[in-house]
Amino acid sequence: MDIRNIAIIAHVDHGKTTLVDKMLRQAGAFRENQVVEERVMDSNPLERERGITILAKNTSVHWKDTKINIVDTPGHADFGGEVERILRMVDGVLLVVDAFDGPMPQTRFVLRKALALGRTPIVVINKIDRPGADPLRVHDEVLDLFIELEADDAQLDAPVVYASAREGIATLDLDVPPVDLGPLFDTIVSRVPPPPSEKAGTFQMLVSTIDHSPYLGRLAIGRIERGTVKVGDAIALLKFGQERSIQSRVTKLYIYEGLQRAEVESASAGEVVSLAGLEGVDIGDTLTDVEVQDRLEGIAVEEPTISVDFVVNNSPFAGKEGKFVTSRQLRERLYRELERNVALRVEDTDATDTWSVSGRGELHLSILMETMRREGYEFQVSRPRVITKIGADGERQEPYEELMIDVPEDYMGAVIEKLGPRRAEMLEMKNPGQGMVRLLYKIPARGLFGYRSEFLTDTRGTGIIHHRFLEYGPWAGPIAGRSRGTLVSMEGGTVIAFALANLQERATLFVSPGDPVYEGMIVGENSRPGDMDVNPTKEKKLTNMRSKSSDENVSLEPPRELTLEGALEYIEEDELIEVTPKAIRLRKRMLSSIDRKKLSRDAKRERERASL
């Protein structure tokens, strides 16, 4: 059977997963009466809740006499590590671009990777039925991007398919009314080259991703580069970065049929397979014949740019809400995450209860935290910090991000004003019409900490913000942090509505009546700079005197909902996030107000001494 291996790559929310949905339906992957959810490839609960793809997933469809293996990849820049390794096991890519937005930061990132590896691109201009869509303008912008990224002549000649993934239609010519996705399937079969099919040689395969089965253990997934593998074969596992090999035996062998794994006895070069029985296999390892041990080039993944500290929970509420709370359990879980999350780094620190965890961005790290808290883990997290390095000239360098903002013209001034103190440098300003302005900035990664919530407030929720890692550049100097202080509880107990009524006039609250609090926990945001110690557990003094106005109902505004991303952006160096299966709380590192005052006094003296 003919085989084609393709990956679907695009910026977040440009319609990759919806397109895969319709491809599966039209290629007959489901029964006629089968009930299938929308965005069926987003099987992870977090993906369904957030409407984004986090993990790359394999599926396949049959079109005429050809089997098409499809990999759906994430669109968010923080999960670029998933895209980088998936591109090694495909021969072509479908580059999906929104017919209104055009190429966005992540479009540039994933396309650069695909072109560098020599993959054959097919451009899919999606959402041609969207109001304001301009597919011809977007076609020109995509062509400019190909030229800018130095595509070769064959890649510049990429076919363009105009589609509406939601409607399940595609056409090669805008003057021809589309009927179904047939033109897209035919383009894939005719333009994407078949995989290497050296079936006569010895077995060789690069592990591109890892899955886990509760019954079979770790499953190594990748494309067979050469030869044939059978169940029961002895194979050599060549670890990435190590000389010696480990001998293993294939106990189960699977290929992908629709959304299911189908068990087979053998598979040959070109097929995407899943192998069981390989103890200790990791992404980037090479599987070969025992006699001929040829190593394939490993998968190079870009380095992380942001790190946080994971700390064992030591708050007064420690152990009350989580199942896994000890340092041993937390350390084991963090190191286990490295098995499948190739862009993550975990390091031990001098403290036995603290680990430094580095990732691509705040979303990358917060997805790990959310997953762990749903599994029953309880821990604390520090403020994110950028990972610096020393350049060739001996100067300190920090990561810079490419920031793209779409904002209504009315709010453009407020956005430009706020980005100035954050050391952002404007690269481009476009006004494509429709009342929206597109701003392109180069900004230190530090400058984005805490900006998203400010941006949503300044644009009344109408602006769109995207960013991706750009490069390392010179240290930009000090950047102002949070402009407002916090309300810190000076007592432990239960929050009382009477106490909050007096506090809400001068603050934004994070807690509701009935919530438990402890000394040192942050219960709200002060309207002015500087922290303020308050007592949210203060009750109304009761007397035997009664008056008409004394028992009025207390009217409270709803508290601000804390999300992990919002909390990571919000906290300062002297604060921590307490993450448990039931709650996300903010706290001071030093819980006692007396200790905090002593520390503040000592720091002030040090500054005075240094100035003399």
Side-chain angles (χ1 to χ4, degrees):
M1 179 184 290
D2 261 2
I3 293 176
R4 299 291 184 274
N5 297 319
I6 61 164
I8 300 193
I9 59 174
H11 188 82
V12 65
D13 204 30
H14 278 197
K16 298 178 302 301
T17 306
T18 305
L19 183 62
V20 176
D21 248 18
K22 292 295 193 249
M23 290 174 78
L24 286 166
R25 290 170 197 274
Q26 293 192 21
F30 308 129
R31 299 190 315 273
E32 283 187 24
N33 62 343
Q34 188 171 346
V35 177
V36 183
E37 292 178 308
E38 288 290 317
R39 301 196 324 275
V40 67
M41 294 296 283
D42 285 348
S43 51
N44 184 315
L46 272 175
E47 293 178 320
R48 300 203 71 80
E49 285 173 25
R50 293 170 182 248
I52 59 172
T53 303
I54 296 169
L55 302 169
K57 299 177 197 68
N58 298 60
T59 185
S60 74
V61 297
H62 288 268
W63 183 253
K64 298 173 182 173
D65 297 326
T66 306
K67 178 182 179 182
I68 304 173
N69 287 313
I70 303 171
V71 190
D72 182 22
T73 64
H76 200 285
D78 282 17
F79 306 110
E82 293 279 316
V83 181
E84 289 173 30
R85 56 193 173 85
I86 289 307
L87 290 174
R88 287 295 296 272
M89 67 179 187
V90 298
D91 305 288
V93 292
L94 293 190
L95 178 71
V96 182
V97 185
D98 190 301
F100 177 80
D101 289 338
M104 299 287 273
Q106 184 70 358
T107 315
R108 176 188 300 271
F109 171 78
V110 292
L111 182 59
R112 179 187 284 120
K113 295 288 180 189
L115 296 178
L117 286 168
R119 300 298 176 251
T120 302
I122 295 173
V123 179
V124 180
I125 296 179
N126 190 26
K127 304 188 185 181
I128 55 172
D129 55 345
R130 177 179 172 178
D134 189 352
L136 296 177
R137 169 183 61 83
V138 171
H139 182 186
D140 292 342
E141 289 177 1
V142 171
L143 196 59
D144 291 343
L145 182 59
F146 270 80
I147 295 167
E148 188 182 327
L149 297 179
E150 299 178 354
D152 61 34
D153 291 344
Q155 291 168 333
L156 277 171
D157 194 31
V160 178
V161 181
Y162 302 96
S164 168
R166 191 174 63 177
E167 300 299 325
I169 53 176
T171 180
L172 299 175
D173 186 346
L174 287 170
D175 296 329
V176 178
V179 178
D180 57 16
L181 291 176
L184 177 60
F185 283 120
D186 292 335
T187 305
I188 292 169
V189 172
S190 63
R191 297 300 291 267
V192 175
S197 54
E198 298 178 47
K199 297 179 183 176
T202 53
F203 170 66
Q204 187 186 42
M205 171 181 142
L206 182 71
V207 180
S208 295
T209 186
I210 293 286
D211 203 353
H212 190 272
S213 162
Y215 309 108
L216 302 170
R218 307 188 76 182
L219 300 173
I221 300 170
R223 183 184 70 186
I224 301 175
E225 300 289 335
R226 188 179 68 204
T228 301
V229 64
K230 300 184 182 68
V231 175
D233 280 359
I235 59 174
L237 169 59
L238 306 178
K239 299 290 292 176
F240 181 57
Q242 295 180 17
E243 288 300 320
R244 63 187 184 86
S245 65
I246 304 166
Q247 193 161 326
S248 300
R249 193 169 294 276
V250 179
T251 56
K252 295 277 185 183
L253 179 61
Y254 298 96
I255 61 171
Y256 290 88
E257 291 291 347
L259 296 174
Q260 306 300 320
R261 279 198 294 254
E263 191 173 342
V264 292
E265 287 300 311
S266 67
S268 299
E271 183 66 87
V272 175
V273 297
S274 181
L275 301 174
L278 313 174
E279 195 64 39
V281 66
D282 280 311
I283 291 163
D285 293 349
T286 305
L287 306 179
T288 71
D289 186 270
V290 177
E291 301 298 327
V292 184
Q293 298 188 5
D294 292 345
R295 187 184 294 273
L296 285 162
E297 186 185 342
I299 296 171
V301 176
E302 286 190 3
E303 292 296 308
T305 55
I306 287 178
S307 68
V308 298
D309 288 338
F310 275 62
V311 187
V312 172
N313 191 7
N314 58 6
S315 84
F317 293 167
K320 291 185 177 180
E321 296 172 354
K323 286 193 294 183
F324 308 109
V325 297
T326 65
S327 58
R328 178 184 60 81
Q329 290 167 331
L330 186 58
R331 185 180 187 278
E332 281 179 2
R333 176 63 182 82
L334 288 172
Y335 277 95
R336 193 162 72 244
E337 184 67 21
L338 296 178
E339 295 175 359
R340 62 174 69 188
N341 199 335
V342 292
L344 200 73
R345 300 283 183 276
V346 179
E347 296 169 15
D348 292 331
T349 64
D350 296 337
T352 56
D353 64 346
T354 305
W355 296 269
S356 174
V357 180
S358 309
R360 282 286 186 85
E362 290 172 7
L363 184 62
H364 186 201
L365 295 169
S366 69
I367 291 291
L368 168 62
M369 296 171 202
E370 184 64 41
T371 305
M372 287 175 62
R373 92 180 256 242
R374 292 185 183 204
E375 292 171 2
Y377 286 85
E378 192 176 289
F379 51 91
Q380 296 178 139
V381 181
S382 73
R383 184 175 195 255
R385 56 188 177 271
V386 296
I387 298 171
T388 59
K389 63 182 187 182
I390 303 299
D393 56 357
E395 297 292 320
R396 182 161 63 145
Q397 293 189 327
E398 66 173 326
Y400 280 76
E401 302 264 325
E402 181 184 75
L403 176 68
M404 183 179 279
I405 290 175
D406 287 321
V407 62
E409 291 173 352
D410 297 347
Y411 304 123
M412 185 176 71
V415 171
I416 293 172
E417 184 184 344
K418 285 285 176 70
L419 286 171
R422 293 176 176 271
R423 311 277 176 160
E425 176 191 343
M426 186 184 288
L427 303 176
E428 192 176 54
M429 181 192 293
K430 283 186 190 171
N431 192 340
Q434 311 268 334
M436 298 288 279
V437 178
R438 175 166 291 178
L439 306 171
L440 190 66
Y441 278 94
K442 176 182 174 182
I443 184 171
R446 290 180 299 137
L448 286 172
F449 292 165
Y451 179 63
R452 190 177 294 271
S453 54
E454 274 188 38
F455 174 76
L456 291 173
T457 304
D458 291 342
T459 63
R460 307 294 187 271
T462 58
I464 301 168
I465 183 169
H466 293 292
H467 57 90
R468 70 169 186 94
F469 172 70
L470 184 63
E471 62 188 4
Y472 268 85
W475 182 260
I479 293 176
R482 196 174 63 207
S483 59
R484 295 180 176 186
T486 57
L487 302 187
V488 185
S489 177
M490 55 198 288
E491 297 284 343
T494 303
V495 175
I496 303 296
F498 171 75
L500 295 187
N502 295 325
L503 294 175
Q504 75 170 0
E505 296 170 8
R506 66 192 93 168
T508 304
L509 297 172
F510 299 155
V511 293
S512 303
D515 289 348
V517 294
Y518 52 81
E519 182 186 4
M521 180 172 153
I522 296 171
V523 295
E525 181 181 63
N526 195 356
S527 58
R528 297 184 179 87
D531 297 336
M532 184 164 61
D533 290 327
V534 298
N535 183 6
T537 65
K538 179 181 173 185
E539 296 186 354
K540 184 177 182 183
K541 295 288 182 277
L542 300 178
T543 69
N544 61 354
M545 302 296 290
R546 293 287 178 269
S547 71
K548 190 175 181 183
S549 62
S550 64
D551 292 325
E552 289 176 353
N553 283 335
V554 174
S555 178
L556 293 173
E557 294 176 6
R560 184 194 292 180
E561 287 288 330
L562 285 174
T563 63
L564 275 168
E565 287 97 336
L568 281 169
E569 287 185 344
Y570 183 77
I571 62 171
E572 291 289 348
E573 286 295 336
D574 64 334
E575 296 162 358
L576 293 169
I577 309 167
E578 182 184 357
V579 184
T580 74
K582 294 184 180 175
I584 297 169
R585 304 183 185 96
L586 305 183
R587 53 159 287 187
K588 290 290 183 181
R589 282 182 186 265
M590 286 189 170
L591 297 179
S592 165
S593 60
I594 296 170
D595 291 343
R596 290 197 304 276
K597 283 173 185 170
K598 275 183 188 171
L599 190 69
S600 174
R601 198 162 53 238
D602 292 346
K604 187 178 178 184
R605 281 181 190 150
E606 283 294 323
R607 284 196 301 272
E608 287 172 354
R609 231 181 257 127
S611 64
L612 291 173

